[in-house]
Amino acid sequence: QVQLMQSGASVKSPGASVNVSCKTSGYTFSHYGISWVRQAPGQGLEWIGWVIPYNGDTAYAQQFQDRVTMTADTSTSTAYMELRSLRSDDTAIYYCSRDSLNFDFWGPGTLVTVAS
Amino acid sequence: QSMLTQPPSVSGTPGQRVAISCSGSPSSIGNNTVNWFQQLPGMAPKLLIFHNDQRPSGVPDRFSGSKSGTSASLAITGLRSDDEADYYCGAWDDSLNGRLFGGGTKLTVL
């Protein structure tokens, strides 16, 4: 069965960076994109971007272009998201999702708290 | 700021039918397919409808989706208490070259 497992919660200081991982299983990793979506407390869903494991191509939402990097390691079927220059309004649950235009499977989410 | 517009909340009684609208633009819903997601409290979102009106396996046929022009709609019939959740629409936007989500609609079963 398809599974996406994410790294644990973290607390970061403003200005720091965070790395979130998403280890997948149950399907051919290189055949599907991985999107990252976040949800601030009490707010809606916000798409951050995606990575295509097959060739490493990425696309980022404009508001994150200059401070996010997404990568994928086909040898371990794991996707990664690095978000830099963290601010307090980056506090959110970060989800990875298998993205074949449908977001058909989701990870459980990773809580990232930005606080001084 | 979301460019897919949903009502903040809808409500209904058990057994009723409710509908949730999602209004977009020619570059989003007008030119791309729509997905719908259900998010139960404290859980990750779950795909409910893809390609405007298709249900993944395991999703009851009480849930249906439709699209017309630059708007889409999710209908839930035979409303149950465990349908109480937040519902989001999503679509690609050609002008942004990225994905959009609606602001979400909270369904309350009275």
Side-chain angles (χ1 to χ4, degrees), chain A residues 5 9 15 21-22 36 41 43 53 62 69 73 76 84 101 104-105:
Chain A
M5 298 305 300
S21 65
C22 174
W36 291 90
Q43 302 301 308
Q62 191 170 11
T69 300
D73 183 343
T76 59
R84 301 176 292 276
L101 300 182
D104 54 358
F105 290 93

Side-chain angles (χ1 to χ4, degrees), chain B residues 49-97:
Chain B
I49 297 288
F50 67 98
H51 290 176
N52 305 324
D53 57 8
Q54 301 299 300
R55 284 185 307 276
S57 61
V59 173
D61 59 7
R62 299 188 299 107
F63 295 90
S64 63
S66 63
K67 173 185 144 177
S68 178
T70 60
S71 293
S73 182
L74 172 71
I76 309 172
T77 58
L79 202 58
R80 298 166 36 144
S81 58
D82 59 359
D83 293 332
E84 201 161 90
D86 294 323
Y87 292 83
Y88 294 90
C89 59
W92 183 267
D93 188 291
D94 295 331
S95 62
L96 293 176
N97 198 31

Side-chain angles (χ1 to χ4, degrees), chain A residues 21 38 70 72 75 80 90 95 106:
Chain A
S21 65
R38 77 178 186 180
M70 295 177 184
S75 68
Y80 300 90
D90 290 319
Y95 295 102
W106 294 68

